[in-house]
Amino acid sequence: MHRAETVHTLTARRRDQAIVALLGNPNSGKTSVFNQLTGLRQKVGNFPGVTVDRKAGSFHLPKGQKVDLVDLPGTYSLYPTITNERMVVEVLCDPQNENFPDLIVYVANSAQLEKHLLLFCQLLDLGIPLVLGLNMSDVADSKKMRIDAPTLAREFGVPVVPLNGRTGKGVELLKETIENLLAGPYELSPAQKPFYRQAAVEREAAKTVQLELPGINDYQALLIAHHVEWLPTLPDGLRQSLRQRLARQNFSDLHWQVQETMARFDQLTPIVQRSILRPSEEQLSNTDRVDRLLTHRWWGTVVFTALMFLVFQAIYVGAAYPMDWIEAGFSSLGNWLHGLAPGAWWVDLLVNGIIAGVSGVLVFIPQIAILFFLIALLEEVGYMARAVYLFDHLMGRFGLNGRSIVALISGGACAVPAIMSTRNISNWKERLITILVTPLISCSARIPVYTLLIAFAVPAVTVGGIFSLQGLAFMGLYLLGILAALGSALVFKYLLKSNERSFLLMELPEYKKPVGRNILLAVFEKVKTFTLEAGKIILAISVVLWVLANFGPQQAMDDARQEALTLAQERQLDETATADLVAAHTIEASYAGILGKSIEPAIRPLGFDWKIGIALITSFAAREVFVGTMATIYSIGSAGDEFSVRDRLSEEVDPLTGKPVYDRATAWSLLIFYVFAMQCMSTLAVVRRETNSWKWPVIQFLFMGVLAYLGSLLVYQLLA
């Protein structure tokens, strides 16, 4: 069946809205086009049945019709090697898939057109309405390349729209083109042949599949024949039947994939040569000049280290004033609420339970936003791909892959998306090692803990008249996590056995000006996700903690309260000091105190008391809960300024020794514990999902827990 015989109608789909899919190679600028089309009308979810993130949104066509836009993962061809690319094939090979597109917008990098057209010409043969978007036209112009769009449109038989995802140029024309294609049946000229002519063996394999799966075209059938081993939409019985029949036909999928790819390039090359006018003399591009430095074995490493140093200094120093403002705002809010109904239990729950816990995390949003902003900026300009290339050889020595550097750097924001990003590592062993060690990279959830405790561990002084000593300590904790990750990876390299060979195949994109819209959307999306996800956990735990801290065995609570009142009378304490003393005694007798004291013998050698024990237990939900827990525990019973957690901790004194609880030894012990410990249920859940086994998250939890306990024990015993 020719492409001409494929008729695609929306009425047969029975959808309220048409689905437009955005496809392209990695580094084609697809995300910029997506953001231009959807703006803030976008969301991230999962494709049904697979563990691949889906970025979706909506936009309106010129006449008002609303359409859904799905951003499919970037891939180089329909013969994938990694999970993300496989999902594209799965969607396009199954017309019954709920994400099957009514139209495809293919985004290609104009400056690298020949490389980006392999996937495009494969999509041509699927018979789905298709638009070719020539993106990054400004980059092509800077290279003095002129692309003849009408010639391309005539050669391929599809609309061609020049685009600039950075400025939005061509987006309105793209919407008009989409509207015209969706307006009626999509049918190519009967004279137009399939772009790739299948060999006899391929045609026989495709017919074998079509006999079992009627309603799909020749090329969809051929793709299913190539991917029959893993396509999840195929029932096991059908998979076995097709596998046997294809084997009898001597269908060698790898051989014919190579043959098809070579044949497609043979056809593409002359089309590109006819459609692109280049300058007569090839000149060294600005990208090539910059890469001489940034991808240099030694100088590139120096630049990378300097960039990371600036990132950490910016996180710690740049967020100081906004954090103070947020903290002061919550303090004022708490005092105002106390004035509304002094002594009311619901005010106490609201102020000392909910607000105290949540504010302990929200105050660190400026630091988290700065981190996400800088990572997004480096990715937007094209530097992250250079980091992958630069560190591939080094990563290989530790049993990792060059692409592992993306996961490790992303782990500085959050381990969950970082672990999910390992899907672009084709080697199973390297991917598994990356998954196991990524949580050792200090994520943004550790920022609240580090910021709180560094104040007790390191004096607030300036080094060399420029750098904050606390900022240097902050960077040191990140470096410690990196060293722990590499050391653990080296151990796993020799423990895990695999005969699978490793390779790195990627394209280094052109350097380009960052698009502020893309960066701000990325920061907004990540901060919103972090705040909402962490906020739900913290809100629930804060309320539970308030209940546990305010209630306990009745007799024990009464005795503790009476003992505190007697002591207060003997010491002639004022009303505020009496409330604090009563709170200290009653929380020790409460259910929270009982819970903390039950684990105190195990954590005493680390310098931790029972109150810290409560925080350790609750922060297994998420590390940042530690700060909210401490805010809740130390605000119980006091009507003063509850929200300066650092001030409250600095006043805490050990009743047995009379010394500060949070001295240098305890602070460093806690810091080391949180550098190494796996205290994030979300991370464990995603590791379970990515490895499809509880074996690896259990191993990960145990080895990180032992590392945290021994490291904390060593530090405290040396400094105490």
Side-chain angles (χ1 to χ4, degrees):
M1 172 168 65
H2 298 328
R3 283 192 292 144
E5 297 176 56
T6 300
V7 178
H8 195 88
T9 62
L10 295 180
T11 54
R13 305 305 306 279
R14 295 183 180 178
R15 283 180 177 152
D16 295 332
Q17 292 177 188
I19 291 182
V20 174
L22 210 57
L23 266 166
N25 289 184
N27 303 314
S28 63
K30 188 162 56 74
T31 299
S32 297
V33 176
F34 179 85
N35 289 337
Q36 288 286 352
L37 287 169
T38 62
L40 292 176
R41 298 179 300 278
Q42 55 185 260
K43 59 183 179 179
V44 176
N46 285 332
F47 280 97
V50 293
T51 58
V52 175
D53 279 345
R54 171 188 62 188
K55 198 171 185 180
S58 62
F59 65 97
H60 288 88
L61 298 175
K63 293 182 180 179
Q65 179 185 355
K66 185 179 180 181
V67 297
D68 292 328
L69 183 66
V70 178
D71 186 12
L72 296 176
T75 179
Y76 292 104
S77 81
L78 294 181
Y79 297 119
T81 58
I82 58 178
T83 305
N84 285 14
E85 295 176 351
R86 284 186 171 189
M87 191 279 299
V88 176
V89 176
E90 180 183 342
V91 170
L92 296 179
C93 283
D94 180 14
Q96 303 306 314
N97 189 298
E98 65 179 63
N99 293 291
F100 191 86
D102 298 297
L103 181 144
I104 295 174
V105 175
Y106 185 82
V107 181
N109 182 345
S110 299
Q112 303 285 338
L113 194 56
E114 186 174 355
K115 298 177 183 177
H116 284 233
L117 287 181
L118 171 63
L119 174 60
F120 169 76
C121 70
Q122 290 178 316
L123 297 175
L124 273 176
D125 290 344
L126 292 177
I128 303 172
L130 186 63
V131 180
L132 174 59
L134 299 178
N135 196 27
M136 300 185 182
S137 54
D138 54 334
V139 177
D141 291 341
S142 69
K143 292 186 172 184
K144 299 180 181 179
M145 296 170 56
R146 189 170 67 82
I147 300 176
D148 187 349
T151 297
L152 285 175
R154 185 173 58 255
E155 293 279 2
F156 292 124
V158 300
V160 177
V161 180
L163 292 170
N164 189 325
R166 187 172 64 85
T167 64
K169 179 183 177 182
V171 170
E172 292 306 315
L173 177 59
L174 176 62
K175 290 181 180 180
E176 293 177 9
T177 305
I178 293 172
E179 187 172 61
N180 293 335
L181 286 176
L182 293 179
Y186 177 73
E187 190 169 1
L188 294 175
S189 166
Q192 202 156 3
K193 305 295 183 182
F195 192 87
Y196 171 66
R197 297 183 180 181
Q198 299 176 12
V201 174
E202 293 173 299
R203 290 197 299 272
E204 186 179 0
K207 289 178 181 177
T208 298
V209 174
Q210 286 173 318
L211 288 174
E212 299 290 346
L213 298 170
I216 58 176
N217 76 1
D218 290 355
Y219 193 58
Q220 282 176 317
L222 180 61
L223 289 174
I224 293 173
H226 279 294
H227 305 309
V228 68
E229 295 291 342
W230 63 265
L231 272 174
T233 53
L234 295 177
D236 290 339
L238 177 58
R239 186 191 315 279
Q240 183 65 21
S241 172
L242 288 174
R243 184 191 296 129
Q244 292 174 353
R245 295 169 67 181
L246 291 171
R248 287 196 296 269
Q249 295 171 5
N250 295 319
F251 179 70
S252 172
D253 60 326
L254 182 59
H255 169 77
W256 289 109
Q257 286 176 25
V258 173
Q259 292 298 314
E260 178 187 332
T261 300
M262 294 175 64
R264 288 185 183 276
F265 273 119
D266 286 343
Q267 291 177 266
L268 284 173
T269 300
I271 293 176
V272 172
Q273 289 175 345
R274 289 194 296 269
S275 306
I276 299 180
L277 299 177
R278 302 176 184 271
S280 56
E281 296 183 4
E282 292 289 335
Q283 297 180 350
L284 191 64
S285 69
N286 291 331
T287 292
D288 294 331
R289 294 188 184 96
V290 175
D291 276 347
R292 285 182 170 181
L293 172 66
L294 296 188
T295 60
H296 188 273
R297 182 178 180 183
W298 300 114
W299 290 113
T301 305
V302 171
V303 172
F304 176 82
T305 304
L307 284 173
M308 293 301 103
F309 177 80
L310 293 175
V311 165
F312 296 123
Q313 283 291 313
I315 290 171
Y316 206 85
V317 178
Y321 287 115
M323 290 175 66
D324 290 341
W325 298 334
I326 294 172
E327 196 171 62
F330 276 112
S331 178
S332 299
L333 176 62
N335 292 331
W336 178 74
L337 288 171
H338 268 303
L340 288 179
W345 70 267
W346 61 270
V347 172
D348 192 61
L349 170 60
L350 181 61
V351 175
N352 297 328
I354 298 174
I355 297 179
V358 174
S359 67
V361 172
L362 296 185
V363 71
F364 299 102
I365 283 181
Q367 289 184 320
I368 294 167
I370 290 173
L371 176 62
F372 286 140
F373 173 82
L374 294 175
I375 289 178
L377 179 63
L378 291 174
E379 188 170 1
E380 183 75 12
V381 300
Y383 178 74
M384 296 301 287
R386 272 72 188 179
V388 171
Y389 168 78
L390 182 65
F391 287 98
D392 181 53
H393 181 67
L394 176 63
M395 293 292 103
R397 295 183 178 182
F398 292 93
L400 301 171
N401 183 282
R403 296 185 187 274
S404 300
I405 197 70
V406 175
L408 296 180
I409 293 175
S410 300
C414 180
V416 172
I419 288 172
M420 294 171 68
S421 74
T422 61
R423 295 167 188 157
N424 63 6
I425 301 174
S426 58
N427 182 280
W428 174 85
K429 178 179 176 180
E430 292 174 346
R431 184 185 179 211
L432 179 60
I433 294 176
T434 306
I435 288 173
L436 292 176
V437 305
T438 292
L440 285 167
I441 303 298
S442 292
C443 63
S444 57
R446 289 178 170 102
I447 291 177
V449 183
Y450 290 175
T451 306
L452 178 66
L453 296 174
I454 280 177
F456 301 103
V458 180
V461 298
T462 301
V463 178
I466 302 176
F467 304 112
S468 163
L469 185 60
Q470 292 182 343
L472 293 174
F474 191 80
M475 182 178 178
L477 293 172
Y478 271 78
L479 291 176
L480 180 60
I482 293 170
L483 292 175
L486 294 178
S488 300
L490 188 61
V491 173
F492 282 122
K493 175 184 178 180
Y494 294 104
L495 291 179
L496 299 176
K497 305 299 181 184
S498 173
N499 294 324
E500 190 176 0
R501 297 192 65 180
S502 173
F503 62 92
L504 176 68
L505 176 64
M506 66 177 300
E507 176 187 351
L508 295 182
E510 298 281 337
Y511 291 108
K512 60 183 184 292
K513 294 179 181 179
V515 181
R517 179 190 182 92
N518 292 348
I519 295 174
L520 293 178
L521 280 172
V523 172
F524 174 78
E525 179 185 300
K526 297 292 179 63
V527 171
K528 183 181 74 170
T529 301
F530 174 86
T531 304
L532 293 179
E533 294 301 318
K536 288 187 291 187
I537 297 172
I538 294 162
L539 179 62
I541 290 178
S542 295
V543 173
V544 171
L545 269 177
W546 182 87
V547 173
L548 292 176
N550 279 276
F551 296 93
Q554 190 60 50
Q555 187 60 48
M557 294 287 284
D558 291 342
D559 291 345
R561 187 175 292 105
Q562 187 57 49
E563 181 184 356
L565 291 173
T566 302
L567 284 173
Q569 189 175 7
E570 291 175 357
R571 299 174 183 176
Q572 298 182 338
L573 300 179
D574 60 23
E575 184 178 348
T576 301
T578 299
D580 288 339
L581 187 62
V582 170
H585 280 67
T586 54
I587 196 174
E588 189 169 355
S590 69
Y591 293 122
I594 294 171
L595 182 65
K597 284 183 174 294
S598 67
I599 68 169
E600 189 173 30
I603 61 177
R604 261 298 176 188
L606 310 182
F608 306 160
D609 63 7
W610 60 272
K611 291 184 180 180
I612 296 176
I614 297 173
L616 292 181
I617 293 173
T618 58
S619 63
F620 273 105
R623 299 177 185 92
E624 63 271 30
V625 175
F626 174 85
V627 179
T629 299
M630 302 308 288
T632 301
I633 290 175
Y634 285 106
S635 64
I636 296 295
S638 180
D641 181 5
E642 290 89 4
F643 301 100
S644 182
V645 184
R646 285 168 287 189
D647 292 342
R648 294 304 303 269
L649 296 189
S650 66
E651 297 170 0
E652 187 71 3
V653 176
D654 190 321
L656 299 178
T657 64
K659 297 180 179 180
V661 171
Y662 295 91
D663 57 9
R664 189 167 66 101
T666 300
W668 273 115
S669 179
L670 264 172
L671 285 169
I672 297 302
F673 185 88
Y674 275 95
V675 167
F676 296 139
M678 165 56 86
Q679 288 188 279
C680 182
M681 291 189 298
S682 298
T683 301
L684 288 172
V686 79
V687 172
R688 160 66 180 84
R689 189 175 68 168
E690 294 296 314
T691 61
N692 198 31
S693 168
W694 277 111
K695 172 185 175 182
W696 299 112
V698 168
I699 290 174
Q700 187 179 47
F701 179 83
L702 291 177
F703 100 80
M704 290 181 66
V706 171
L707 192 61
Y709 189 92
L710 294 179
S712 184
L713 177 66
L714 178 64
V715 166
Y716 182 75
Q717 297 302 323
L718 289 175
L719 296 179

